[in-house]
Amino acid sequence: MSPIANWVREILCCPTCKGELTGSLDGDETELVCATCQVAYPVTDGILVLLAADARPLK
Ligand SMILES: [Zn+2]
């Protein structure tokens, strides 16, 4: 069961590049990824944190 509904995910975009956010939310996955910026935005206590300062670099 995804903690984020599909309609919410559809309106989400990267705060940096305004691109689409992707990423599996299956199991323990709690991040949404921007492939353009190569960063992951965390989901903390069910709340997506769309702050560039809190983004985790993927590499
Ligand atoms: Zn981005």
Side-chain angles (χ1 to χ4, degrees):
M1 185 75 179
S2 170
I4 299 178
N6 287 338
W7 69 266
V8 174
R9 296 182 64 178
E10 289 174 359
I11 65 173
L12 294 174
C13 65
C14 175
T16 301
C17 70
K18 308 304 180 186
E20 182 181 358
L21 293 174
T22 60
S24 171
L25 289 169
D26 293 337
D28 292 331
E29 180 62 60
T30 55
E31 292 178 324
L32 285 180
V33 172
C34 177
T36 302
C37 300
Q38 289 290 293
V39 295
Y41 296 95
V43 179
T44 303
D45 294 332
I47 300 172
L48 178 62
V49 181
L50 282 179
L51 297 175
D54 287 340
R56 180 179 66 82
L58 292 181
K59 52 187 175 181

